[in-house]
Amino acid sequence: MVFSELGLKAGDVFLDIGCGVGDYAIHAARLVGNVGHVYALDKVPFLIRELQARAVAEDVTNLTAGVADAAHSLPIHDDSVDVCLVSTVLHIPDVTANSDRLFSEIRRVLKTDGHVAIIECSKKDLSFGPPEKMRLTPDEVETMATRCGFHKLREVDLGFNYMITLT
């Protein structure tokens, strides 16, 4: 369901912020094909090394993985990204505290007609995921994004998570 909502197509440039081991990034690389490109960023070096090794093992050549902190500058050129994904990252206290910086950076790297999708855990008590007090409601995410000029396109219930798409 996530990828049908993202609307990736051949030739797109995709940015995965907080990519972890890169499941979304690898799948996106296959969708955008060799005429597209995927940037996968995470602040944890060993996760990036794992993703780089996985990309080589799976012959994924259109993916660039790098170490970067989502709460600071993104090493991506201005106006170069069609679709950005930030999955279960925004609730992290340092990222939440620097959400204006993050959304400003996303705005900088997105093409004029690009969009960003934010996935977060629903704000309810579950036996997994971040503590309930750290979770963000869709309205809280929308408020953070609108401060930086984004507008909500849609919200999708993913079960335990939700996804907000903004432009």
Side-chain angles (χ1 to χ4, degrees):
M1 173 173 283
V2 169
F3 281 95
S4 63
E5 287 294 323
L6 290 177
L8 283 175
K9 60 189 178 312
D12 278 350
V13 175
F14 177 75
L15 170 60
D16 185 353
I17 298 174
C19 65
V21 296
D23 291 335
Y24 288 128
I26 292 285
H27 188 72
R30 292 188 177 108
L31 291 174
V32 302
N34 288 332
V35 293
H37 198 80
V38 171
Y39 294 98
L41 305 174
D42 201 288
K43 73 177 193 174
V44 182
F46 84 86
L47 294 174
I48 293 301
R49 287 191 300 273
E50 284 185 32
L51 174 53
Q52 289 167 331
R54 182 175 170 198
V56 168
E58 296 183 27
D59 197 31
V60 175
T61 58
N62 62 338
L63 185 146
T64 302
V67 176
D69 188 337
H72 302 287
S73 297
L74 300 174
I76 305 293
H77 293 293
D78 295 0
D79 304 310
S80 61
V81 173
D82 296 291
V83 180
C84 176
L85 175 66
V86 183
S87 181
T88 60
V89 172
L90 195 56
H91 71 274
I92 297 169
D94 186 43
V95 179
T96 303
N98 290 288
S99 63
D100 285 354
R101 175 74 175 160
L102 172 64
F103 281 109
S104 292
E105 279 292 286
I106 292 170
R107 168 67 64 214
R108 179 184 65 78
V109 303
L110 274 181
K111 293 178 181 177
T112 304
D113 59 348
H115 61 275
V116 58
I118 309 294
I119 298 175
E120 280 296 330
C121 295
S122 298
K123 192 162 185 147
K124 52 188 161 188
D125 187 23
L126 300 171
S127 61
F128 57 89
E132 186 177 1
K133 67 181 180 178
M134 287 176 59
R135 296 173 191 223
L136 302 168
T137 66
D139 288 342
E140 289 171 315
V141 171
E142 184 178 359
T143 297
M144 289 176 191
T146 56
R147 284 194 308 252
C148 295
F150 285 94
H151 303 282
K152 183 168 92 171
L153 291 175
R154 63 189 163 276
E155 180 181 328
V156 178
D157 183 354
L158 301 173
F160 299 114
N161 299 325
Y162 61 87
M163 182 167 74
I164 297 178
T165 303
L166 307 125
T167 187

